[in-house]
Amino acid sequence: MGERVALITGSGGEMGHGVLPRLRDQGFRIVALDLYDLPETLGRYCVETVRGDIRDEGLMGDLVQRFAPDCVYHLAAMLSAHSEADPFMAHQVNVDATCSLLRQCEESARQKGRPVRFLFPSSIAVYGLPDAATKVEAGAVEESDWNHPRGMYGCNKLYIELFGTFLGRRAGKAGEPGVDFRSIRFPGLISAETLPTGGTTDYAPEMIHAAAQGKPYSCFIDEHSRLPFMTMPDAVQALLDLAEAPPESLSTRVYNIRGFSPSPAEIRKRVLTHFPDAQIGFDPVPSRQAIVDSWPADVDDSRARSDWGLSPEHDLAAAIDDYLVPALRKRYDGD
Ligand code: NAD
Ligand code: SER
């Protein structure tokens, strides 16, 4: 078998920064697409970089036909805060464009006579708990619990989970090559390399990056509200592990994962051990707090652990002490 080809959409985003180098290490020929030019540090891993919109069906169809990817990492999306602000645009990007890409991948699989592995980052936003009290009572939710998203972003993600799983099952029943759909419901992600925009979980990385730069930070979420999080290196490792898992080991096509589940107050406390002068306050914004109150305090990741060996390296202490603080000191202080 020759070199495998990976098509990565949203390649210039936070997750793309982690995924591209790792796929290149695995020997993939990488075709990368994003709305914006890819930084040269990432472009050098690619055989082709394309500046374009996933809503451009002609462009996406041409890429799939020309490169016949063995796998697609479909990272491009509008994140939660932006999706709630413009639900029609969110639907076009997160649903319409994704369905179209799935169709193009299915056609390509049939032409080539082998499946196209389709990696889809979903989110804890697919859960919809009615209020903060129920959230506390529910604790760590399983994949099938509370699938009633209250926000547009969660609706978009849940639909693609269902549609992708349907396409994979249909191909299996027909005994035809098709889309081998695999999805992870990511918790909030924290990277030392990049800062997020447009997400609800952005307060955690923003707080830590601000402290490392000596800037004051006002958290837009109540200090006691809990959400699951994970470091970006652990998230990327999980996505690559799921991508390589043998199909027969998968008991589902959609997996919960998590690293730790802190409240903002607990993140602040740990950050202060490294930056004791950091000014971190709390000024909850009701619309953003409502989203957090509907997302689970924690998720049950036992299926990912038993099916494909999920084993994140970082708990909250390790994330801050061993990963974020050393990297951020280097980044902002040149230490
Ligand atoms: P990001 O916003 O940093 O990256 C998304 C990338 O997609 C950006 O580079 C953006 O330019 C690109 N993009 C957006 N719309 C596009 C379009 N129409 N056409 C082409 N490119 C487009 O987000 P990320 O953290 O890298 O997220 C990657 C994936 O993981 C997304 O699907 C997101 O929903 C999911 N996810 C992220 C988190 C998190 O905390 N970061 C958590 C759960 C799920
Ligand atoms: N971190 C993402 C967001 O807040 C969750 O998918 O949008």
Side-chain angles (χ1 to χ4, degrees):
M1 193 166 66
E3 275 183 309
R4 291 183 292 172
V5 175
L7 168 62
I8 308 182
T9 70
S11 47
E14 289 209 278
M15 202 177 281
H17 275 75
V19 166
L20 258 74
R22 296 291 310 278
L23 284 180
R24 187 56 219 154
D25 286 349
Q26 289 185 356
F28 277 93
R29 296 175 69 228
I30 297 173
V31 179
L33 173 128
D34 201 291
L35 279 180
Y36 305 103
D37 286 332
L38 211 56
E40 178 39 39
T41 46
L42 293 180
R44 64 195 163 97
Y45 298 117
C46 305
V47 293
E48 179 121 340
T49 59
V50 181
R51 181 177 168 158
D53 192 321
I54 56 166
R55 291 174 298 166
D56 183 340
E57 258 189 76
L59 170 69
M60 299 308 293
D62 176 61
L63 283 178
V64 171
Q65 279 300 311
R66 266 200 301 139
F67 290 98
D70 299 279
C71 65
V72 174
Y73 285 75
H74 183 44
L75 312 183
M78 264 173 78
L79 273 71
S80 57
H82 287 161
S83 293
E84 304 322 318
D86 191 344
F88 291 101
M89 169 83 100
H91 192 87
Q92 285 173 18
V93 174
N94 295 342
V95 177
D96 293 342
T98 304
C99 287
S100 169
L101 182 57
L102 281 163
R103 180 176 52 74
Q104 289 161 344
C105 288
E106 189 178 74
E107 283 167 12
S108 173
R110 287 182 184 158
Q111 283 163 11
K112 280 189 314 178
R114 59 174 196 275
V116 174
R117 213 157 269 195
F118 195 98
L119 277 301
F120 178 67
S122 186
S123 165
I124 51 168
V126 302
Y127 295 105
L129 294 116
D131 50 51
T134 314
K135 165 183 168 127
V136 171
E137 205 178 306
V141 300
E142 290 179 19
E143 282 87 351
S144 57
D145 294 338
W146 298 105
N147 285 186
H148 305 289
R150 296 163 78 84
M152 179 47 50
Y153 175 72
C155 292
N156 295 166
K157 290 289 190 188
L158 185 59
Y159 181 70
I160 295 300
E161 287 181 3
L162 294 167
F163 188 52
T165 301
F166 163 81
L167 290 179
R169 199 171 42 234
R170 188 181 67 162
K173 270 192 193 154
E176 284 178 354
V179 171
D180 178 353
F181 181 85
R182 300 168 180 216
S183 179
I184 289 179
R185 287 181 183 163
F186 285 104
L189 301 177
I190 312 179
S191 171
E193 266 192 82
T194 50
L195 263 168
T197 48
T200 299
T201 57
D202 296 1
Y203 60 88
E206 284 174 0
M207 185 189 296
I208 302 166
H209 280 248
Q213 294 171 85
K215 293 182 181 168
Y217 185 69
S218 173
C219 178
F220 53 81
I221 296 305
D222 179 84
E223 61 186 298
H224 301 299
S225 297
R226 228 168 256 288
L227 282 183
F229 281 90
M230 183 176 241
T231 63
M232 189 59 85
D234 279 339
V236 168
Q237 185 62 52
L239 195 58
L240 299 178
D241 287 346
L242 176 60
E244 294 298 326
E248 59 278 10
S249 68
L250 304 181
S251 61
T252 177
R253 291 305 170 132
V254 179
Y255 288 91
N256 279 341
I257 67 170
R258 47 92 72 196
F260 40 93
S261 187
S263 65
E266 288 166 351
I267 302 174
R268 176 180 181 273
K269 190 171 168 200
R270 194 80 201 178
V271 167
L272 287 176
T273 63
H274 294 276
F275 305 106
D277 298 329
Q279 293 173 48
I280 301 168
F282 298 93
D283 187 11
V285 172
S287 57
R288 307 195 88 178
Q289 184 66 45
I291 296 178
V292 170
D293 288 345
S294 76
W295 291 0
D298 206 350
V299 294
D300 179 338
D301 63 2
S302 48
R303 282 189 128 176
R305 287 179 181 272
S306 64
D307 286 4
W308 43 273
L310 171 72
S311 175
E313 191 183 334
H314 301 122
D315 59 13
L316 176 64
I320 292 183
D321 304 355
D322 304 341
Y323 167 57
L324 290 159
V325 169
L328 293 178
R329 283 200 196 282
K330 208 172 187 176
R331 173 174 174 170
Y332 294 122
D333 302 342
D335 285 3

